[in-house]
Amino acid sequence: MENETRRTLDELVTRYELAPDLCDIYVEGKTDKLLIEWFLDQKEHQGFVVYEIDTVEIPAQLLFEQGLKDNNRSRVIALALYIQDKLSETPLHLTCIADKDFDLLFGKEYQCNLLLFTDYSCLEIYLFNEVVLDKYLRLGLRLSQPRAREVLNQVSRVLEDLFLIRATNEALELNMRWLEKFGDCCNLNKNNNQIQFDSTTFINKYLNSNRNHSQESIFRIKLEELRAKELIEIRYKIHGHDFTELLCWYIRPYLRKEIRSSYNSEILAGSLLVCIDVEKLAQEVLFQSLLARIGR
């Protein structure tokens, strides 16, 4: 937490009662913090401070009372709801930013003036962009093939399946640990570069690894129910970790031999962030809303 003081909720309520003009921003984690700081610096804004939610003590009981999961996203939401409830006037500049996650799929909404959500499922999905990926493939990796549009078209089908499988676990409240090596269930057809994802095998492995094979029938029924819900924008249906992992798996065969073995999804994610254009980011609703809050 970079030596930041861990504050209690009551301390924060007092802080904003006494200094309602403070421009504080709370986010889920370090990447979120650095991206928001960089964006606002590029837009020449000053006087703001971005905090990771780990700098705040959020009691587990509060998460339970608000019907939230025990994770950083929930802690950001809980903080916003708590402060809004405790203060008679909403601070003008205080902002909590959380991933949209499965909210669109589940029809979940929060009535909170302090809370902003990512435009897509999570912050990493701003990287799911043809211009960003094209710059990275051509200039970062010096690859003329594959082309960015083709890559995004190929990985999107698998990513949607993985997102819906994650969502099914959430909807059924099975609390299963994710099966990290989904690449074992993917094959790349070298003739047309299409990914073949064996979702049946993956789901079986997922359930078995969590000792939940007895739930297979219920799991598959719920999965198809969620699949029937039409979310037109593919970026609403992608988990950030799955995106970087699958993209890494897909482009690894194209890499030069000297970097292929050491290449991983963390390196890829950091490199994609470098390719983001601040003006393109400023066109997104989240960042427009953030600029409006800071400027008022």
Side-chain angles (χ1 to χ4, degrees):
M1 295 188 296
E2 299 181 356
N3 298 320
E4 293 172 349
T5 303
R6 194 175 177 87
R7 296 187 174 100
T8 67
L9 290 173
D10 290 339
E11 286 173 339
L12 288 180
V13 170
T14 301
R15 174 181 173 85
Y16 300 119
E17 283 178 334
L18 297 176
D21 290 333
L22 285 174
C23 189
D24 289 350
I25 303 167
Y26 293 89
V27 297
E28 294 183 27
K30 184 160 188 166
T31 298
D32 309 51
K33 170 181 164 67
L34 294 174
L35 179 59
I36 296 297
E37 287 177 337
W38 171 80
F39 172 78
L40 293 176
D41 284 340
Q42 292 297 306
K43 301 303 289 184
E44 299 183 346
H45 279 277
Q46 298 177 349
F48 67 89
V49 182
V50 184
Y51 297 98
E52 295 177 50
I53 195 60
D54 280 347
T55 63
V56 182
E57 184 65 44
I58 307 288
Q61 180 63 25
L62 179 63
L63 298 176
F64 176 76
E65 291 171 357
Q66 295 180 345
L68 296 168
K69 301 285 186 180
D70 185 10
N71 56 42
N72 280 355
R73 174 181 185 268
S74 293
R75 293 184 184 94
V76 172
I77 295 171
L79 173 62
L81 294 173
Y82 185 87
I83 292 181
Q84 178 170 269
D85 181 62
K86 295 297 181 181
L87 294 181
S88 57
E89 294 185 11
T90 302
L92 285 175
H93 309 293
L94 177 61
T95 305
C96 298
I97 300 175
D99 288 342
K100 196 181 293 290
D101 205 46
F102 302 113
D103 284 353
L104 278 178
L105 190 63
F106 294 160
K108 179 69 174 177
E109 295 182 357
Y110 299 90
Q111 300 301 320
C112 183
N113 295 328
L114 303 179
L115 193 56
L116 293 179
F117 286 95
T118 53
D119 295 278
Y120 313 111
S121 62
C122 63
L123 206 67
E124 290 88 347
I125 303 307
Y126 291 104
L127 306 176
F128 190 91
N129 177 286
E130 184 178 345
V131 175
V132 170
L133 184 57
D134 183 61
K135 182 177 181 180
Y136 175 56
L137 291 175
R138 293 201 206 187
L139 303 183
L141 295 178
R142 291 180 287 170
L143 295 175
S144 58
Q145 292 293 332
R147 303 308 294 265
R149 180 174 298 181
E150 174 191 353
V151 174
L152 294 178
N153 286 339
Q154 289 300 323
V155 300
S156 62
R157 290 190 288 268
V158 180
L159 292 172
E160 181 176 354
D161 279 343
L162 293 169
F163 183 83
L164 291 172
I165 291 170
R166 285 182 182 271
T168 301
N169 173 54
E170 289 288 321
L172 296 176
E173 298 183 344
L174 297 176
N175 298 314
M176 292 194 292
R177 181 172 51 84
W178 185 242
L179 190 63
E180 295 291 339
K181 295 185 178 180
F182 53 78
D184 294 346
C185 296
C186 294
N187 288 301
L188 185 62
N189 187 322
K190 295 184 179 179
N191 294 324
N192 55 19
N193 289 330
Q194 289 189 354
I195 305 174
Q196 298 170 327
F197 176 57
D198 188 347
S199 61
T200 299
T201 298
F202 179 82
I203 291 171
N204 285 336
K205 286 185 175 182
Y206 184 36
L207 293 170
N208 287 337
S209 68
N210 286 279
R211 299 181 180 179
N212 258 330
H213 194 267
S214 62
Q215 301 291 323
E216 180 180 2
S217 177
I218 296 173
F219 192 92
R220 293 187 182 279
I221 291 171
K222 176 57 69 173
L223 175 63
E224 294 310 312
E225 287 179 5
L226 295 176
R227 193 186 301 278
K229 295 184 177 183
E230 295 187 4
L231 298 180
I232 298 174
E233 168 63 76
I234 182 62
R235 287 176 289 184
Y236 298 153
K237 302 179 285 186
I238 298 175
H239 188 277
H241 177 74
D242 295 344
F243 168 51
T244 54
E245 286 291 332
L246 185 62
L247 184 59
C248 183
W249 174 87
Y250 187 87
I251 66 177
R252 180 175 279 114
Y254 295 92
L255 298 176
R256 305 185 305 277
K257 290 182 179 180
E258 59 267 27
I259 67 171
R260 192 178 301 165
S261 61
S262 60
Y263 191 73
N264 59 49
S265 60
E266 187 173 347
I267 292 173
L268 183 149
S271 301
L272 284 176
L273 281 168
V274 174
C275 296
I276 282 186
D277 179 80
V278 68
E279 295 306 326
K280 294 289 186 183
L281 208 56
Q283 296 174 16
E284 301 284 3
V285 174
L286 167 62
F287 292 90
Q288 290 177 355
S289 300
L290 185 57
L291 290 174
R293 281 172 179 258
I294 291 178
R296 65 189 179 187

